[in-house]
């Protein structure tokens, strides 16, 4: 027995030594890397728009869709979903923007404090441009406007009956006439209000029109070119030179050349509104693209 035990002990010790070495040796298969949950993409850009990549021209900003362009204007349809934003983009030209639906946006202009804007449906504003900005819908309310770039220098700009330039005074002849006549409003019996002159520069004039059944907008011999922008409640039948051109609803636009008979009809009889931007200098006459 003793010789057998002497032989067995070295064998057991060798086996234990090999097991210890295997336990300490690194595994030939590398451990699998952890797969942390990917963070969802942020819907908001950094708060400082100047920290973003360089601005793009407005015609390369993907939220701005070109509707019409000619020698006088470039017209874009801007739609921003809720909790979204535009790329930083450059406005080199003066422009008007007309909101379609209520809005609650952040206007982040490069180099300036962010501006929180709450806008009403159909609200119209003018800016001389020459800035870069980002528009965000942090509030969760989608944003929709028609942006009307004005190709020519506009010279002197002034509010008429609407505060198109916020903080600037208005000079409204209709209000003065109403005061002189001792009445502040049209009577309820009037089916359609008179056109409201909103805004004017050396180059353009902006008027608000409302049409209804049997009360059409007609201009038999217009002297200047004009851009029509249908507002949200619009159901318009547009006729030029005696021919039907198109049906227009909120956000639709139509270029109307000088010299062509114009007739705009509210075809559902529901009272439709539109803005008319008249270009005072009609030469050279462009063709819409």
């Amino acid at each position: 027995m003793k010789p057998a035990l002497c032989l067995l002990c070295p064998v057991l010790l060798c086996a234990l030594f090999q097991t210890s070495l295997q336990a300490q040796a690194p595994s030939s298969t590398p451990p699998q890397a952890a797969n942390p949950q990917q963070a969802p993409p942020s819907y908001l850009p950094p708060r400082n728009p100047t920290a973003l990549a360089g601005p793009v021209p407005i015609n390369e900003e993907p939220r701005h869709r070109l509707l019409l362009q000619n020698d006088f204007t470039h017209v874009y349809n801007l739609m921003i979903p809720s909790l979204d934003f535009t790329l930083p983009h450059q406005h080199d030209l003066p422009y008007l923007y007309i909101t379609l639906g209520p809005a609650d946006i952040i206007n982040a202009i490069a180099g300036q404090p962010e501006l929180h804007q709450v806008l009403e449906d159909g609200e119209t504003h003018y800016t001389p441009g020459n800035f870069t900005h980002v528009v965000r819908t942090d509030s969760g309310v989608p944003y929709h406007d028609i942006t009307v770039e004005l190709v020519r220098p506009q010279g002197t700009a002034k509010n008429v009956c609407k505060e198109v330039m916020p903080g600037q005074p208005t000079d409204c002849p209709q209000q003065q006439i109403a005061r002189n006549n001792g009445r502040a409003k049209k009577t309820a019996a009037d089916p359609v209000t008179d056109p409201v002159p909103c805004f004017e520069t050396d180059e353009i004039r902006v008027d608000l029109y409302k049409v209804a059944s049997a009360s059409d907008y007609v201009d038999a011999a217009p002297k200047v070119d004009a851009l029509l922008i249908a507002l949200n409640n619009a159901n318009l039948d547009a006729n030029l030179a005696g021919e039907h051109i198109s049906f227009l609803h909120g956000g639709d636009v139509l270029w109307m050349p000088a010299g062509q008979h114009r007739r705009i009809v509210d075809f559902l009889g529901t009272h439709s509104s539109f803005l008319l931007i008249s270009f005072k200098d009609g030469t050279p006459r462009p063709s819409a693209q």
Side-chain angles (χ1 to χ4, degrees):
M1 289 293 292
K2 287 183 180 180
L5 287 173
C6 291
L7 291 173
L8 183 60
C9 286
V11 172
L12 291 173
L13 288 172
C14 183
L16 288 172
F17 182 72
Q18 289 180 345
T19 304
S20 175
L21 287 177
Q22 288 175 355
Q24 294 178 22
S27 172
S28 59
T29 304
Q32 230 165 359
N35 185 21
Q37 184 179 2
Q38 185 178 3
S42 173
Y43 66 84
L44 296 178
R47 293 293 175 178
N48 179 7
T50 60
L52 296 171
V56 298
I58 186 173
N59 62 352
E60 296 180 13
E61 203 294 307
R63 299 292 185 195
H64 290 77
R65 181 170 62 88
L66 183 66
L67 299 179
L68 178 149
Q69 71 175 19
N70 57 35
D71 290 342
F72 293 119
T73 185
H74 308 151
V75 184
Y76 296 90
N77 182 61
L78 170 61
M79 301 183 72
I80 309 174
S82 63
L83 304 178
D84 210 329
F85 57 94
T86 66
L87 295 180
H89 57 281
Q90 178 72 24
H91 286 280
D92 295 320
L93 298 173
Y95 70 94
L96 293 156
Y97 61 96
I98 302 95
T99 60
L100 298 171
D104 186 338
I105 60 172
I106 299 297
N107 185 2
I109 299 175
Q112 298 184 20
E114 294 184 349
L115 178 63
H116 178 207
Q117 292 181 280
V118 178
L119 305 169
E120 297 180 357
D121 181 28
E123 199 165 329
T124 301
H125 291 295
Y126 170 82
T127 172
N130 292 315
F131 63 88
T132 296
H133 75 154
V134 170
V135 180
R136 302 198 311 263
T137 53
D138 295 6
S139 67
V141 178
Y143 181 66
H144 188 192
D145 82 23
I146 300 299
T147 298
V148 181
E149 283 194 319
L150 304 167
V151 175
R152 298 184 176 185
Q154 293 302 298
T156 302
K158 66 175 183 177
N159 294 329
V160 184
C161 292
K162 297 287 186 179
E163 200 172 316
V164 176
M165 292 189 297
Q168 299 297 313
T170 58
D171 182 15
C172 185
Q174 291 182 335
Q175 293 172 355
Q176 184 61 47
I177 292 171
R179 284 194 293 268
N180 292 341
N181 291 341
R183 58 185 181 89
K185 298 180 179 179
K186 298 281 288 182
T187 63
D190 292 326
V192 181
T193 60
D194 293 332
V196 177
C198 300
F199 175 77
E200 191 169 14
T201 72
D202 293 343
E203 294 291 327
I204 65 166
R205 178 183 174 93
V206 181
D207 295 280
L208 173 64
Y209 284 86
K210 295 182 180 180
V211 293
S213 180
S215 298
D216 305 335
Y217 163 76
V218 177
D219 191 340
K223 296 180 180 179
V224 297
D225 300 312
L227 174 69
L228 183 153
I229 302 171
L231 299 182
N232 254 350
N233 64 343
N235 297 288
L236 301 171
D237 179 2
N239 298 267
L240 297 178
E243 295 185 4
H244 166 75
I245 298 298
S246 63
F247 294 108
L248 303 173
H249 304 283
D252 292 335
V253 302
L254 177 66
W255 183 257
M256 300 193 294
Q260 290 189 1
H261 184 282
R262 302 171 184 169
R263 181 171 182 162
I264 307 298
V265 178
D266 174 40
F267 66 85
L268 291 183
T270 55
H271 289 207
S272 296
S273 302
F274 62 90
L275 280 183
L276 194 67
I277 303 175
S278 300
F279 294 79
K280 297 177 181 180
D281 182 2
T283 57
R285 181 151 314 128
S287 57
Q289 297 179 3

